[in-house]
Amino acid sequence: MPSLKDLRTRIASVKATRKITKAMQMVAAAKLRRAQEAAEAARPYSERMDALLANLNTGSTSNASPLLVGTGKSDVHLLIVMTAERGLCGGFNANIAKLARQDAQRLIREGKTVKILTVGKKGADNLRRDYARNIIDRIEFKGIKQLGYAQANEVGAKVMALFNDGQFDVATLYFSEFKSVIAQKPTAAQLIPAKLPDGKSGKDGSKDGKSGALPTASLATEYEPGEDELLGYLLQRNIGTQLFRGLLENAASEQGARMSAMDNATRNAGDMINKLTLKYNRQRQANITKELIEIISGAEAL
């Protein structure tokens, strides 16, 4: 049975932990608003980009860009796994890694070659045990307070370099789509070849291929320069756009998950303090009662 001193030390330790979790919850709440606004502002741009690409896509594959039609094979798959640089955010990182791990296992069973590019320290840590040999590169943005389009372009340039070298046939992006403070949805979005909302290949970044993007324009539109040239340029820019959206969605989801996790930790610390305080008071009362009994017994013996 712990002594009163041990109980006092433990109560003080849990109180200090509660102060830390409460502070982290408040910091996450402050960051969440900015991250949520940025993620929601990026969604219409990404959806309009998909709609424009679908409108430009004539369906002809003779002179189509490889970014749209692919290499004609699906033997080598590149999984781009985006996670956070830090932990203490509940199951945020683990859920993204779990979705990527499930897809990697399915592809390997089908006889495909799987390569993994991790963006964020925690993704590499989660997948290193099972797929250390499949991780071809890891990108970390430690020390960068706010991720921007420059970081998305850095990842996009690496992906394009691998594609131009023939290192993979299909690229899929894994991130967490922000729904609310208590709900973040792990999502897989195919980047190469591009999935467009044209009825043939839905694009909403989900596994089922149901399109959540805006409908394509039905009016006749003339483009300058030519449609093929513009489509090729936009397809390359779409890689950075989708990666940037993934980074923003991840940033909002991370802060929401951390806010929820720290709120639960604060509540659990409060419950533990109450239980330890009750145990301390009972132990103290038992010691006082024992001492009184010893005094009374000694007095009666005299």
Side-chain angles (χ1 to χ4, degrees):
M1 182 177 294
S3 64
L4 292 178
K5 182 179 179 181
D6 294 337
L7 289 173
R8 285 197 300 268
T9 302
R10 191 172 179 186
I11 290 172
S13 175
V14 177
K15 284 183 177 179
T17 302
R18 184 174 63 174
K19 289 181 181 179
I20 295 173
T21 57
K22 184 64 176 178
M24 293 185 66
Q25 177 190 352
M26 296 176 66
V27 171
K31 292 182 178 180
L32 173 62
R33 183 175 181 180
R34 295 193 298 268
Q36 181 179 355
E37 290 175 352
E40 291 176 348
R43 290 173 184 172
Y45 183 83
S46 176
E47 292 170 352
R48 285 293 182 183
M49 175 72 81
D50 287 340
L52 179 58
L53 289 173
N55 194 33
L56 285 169
N57 181 25
T58 59
S60 174
T61 60
S62 57
N63 297 322
S65 170
L67 295 176
L68 181 62
V69 298
T71 61
K73 302 181 295 182
S74 61
D75 297 332
V76 183
H77 287 251
L78 177 67
L79 311 185
I80 308 169
V81 184
M82 283 186 172
T83 53
E85 298 290 342
R86 297 186 300 165
L88 296 178
C89 48
F92 168 73
N93 295 309
N95 290 336
I96 299 175
K98 180 181 178 181
L99 179 60
R101 186 180 291 107
Q102 290 174 348
D103 283 359
Q105 292 173 351
R106 174 180 55 82
L107 291 170
I108 291 175
R109 286 196 302 267
E110 294 174 358
K112 310 294 185 181
T113 300
V114 174
K115 297 181 179 180
I116 300 176
L117 171 65
T118 61
V119 181
K121 180 177 182 295
K122 291 300 178 180
D125 293 343
N126 274 280
L127 297 171
R128 184 172 51 191
R129 176 180 298 180
D130 299 327
Y131 298 101
R133 296 182 179 180
N134 301 85
I135 298 177
I136 59 174
D137 200 357
R138 50 189 297 176
I139 301 174
E140 297 182 6
F141 296 119
K142 186 180 297 183
I144 300 178
K145 295 183 178 179
Q146 187 172 2
L147 297 176
Y149 194 76
Q151 286 72 39
N153 262 343
E154 179 181 341
V155 180
K158 189 174 291 292
V159 172
M160 287 301 303
L162 292 172
F163 183 69
N164 293 332
D165 291 342
Q167 296 293 322
F168 66 88
D169 301 316
V170 180
T172 305
L173 174 65
Y174 294 85
F175 62 96
S176 182
E177 184 178 1
F178 179 81
K179 296 294 186 181
S180 66
V181 176
I182 60 175
Q184 301 86 33
K185 179 184 178 183
T187 303
Q190 184 172 307
L191 289 182
I192 302 175
K195 290 285 188 178
L196 304 180
D198 57 0
K200 297 180 181 179
S201 53
K203 165 70 178 71
D204 69 339
S206 63
K207 297 291 294 179
D208 54 7
K210 294 180 180 179
S211 174
L214 298 177
T216 58
S218 59
L219 299 178
T221 307
E222 295 183 1
Y223 296 96
E224 287 291 342
E227 293 185 5
D228 293 339
E229 183 179 354
L230 185 60
L231 180 61
Y233 169 77
L234 289 178
L235 282 170
Q236 293 189 16
R237 189 170 182 84
N238 183 56
I239 301 296
T241 301
Q242 299 302 331
L243 289 170
F244 184 47
R245 180 189 175 187
L247 288 175
L248 294 180
E249 294 282 353
N250 258 15
S253 298
E254 177 190 354
Q255 299 304 330
R258 179 170 289 114
M259 182 179 170
S260 298
M262 292 301 102
D263 179 57
N264 291 334
T266 302
R267 294 175 184 272
N268 293 336
D271 294 340
M272 183 175 291
I273 290 172
N274 293 335
K275 292 179 181 179
L276 290 173
T277 302
L278 180 60
K279 188 175 182 179
Y280 172 82
N281 291 336
R282 287 178 176 176
Q283 181 67 22
R284 179 171 173 271
Q285 186 64 42
N287 291 346
I288 294 174
T289 303
K290 182 180 179 180
E291 292 176 358
L292 289 175
I293 291 175
E294 291 176 351
I295 293 173
I296 294 173
S297 300
E300 291 179 349
L302 294 175

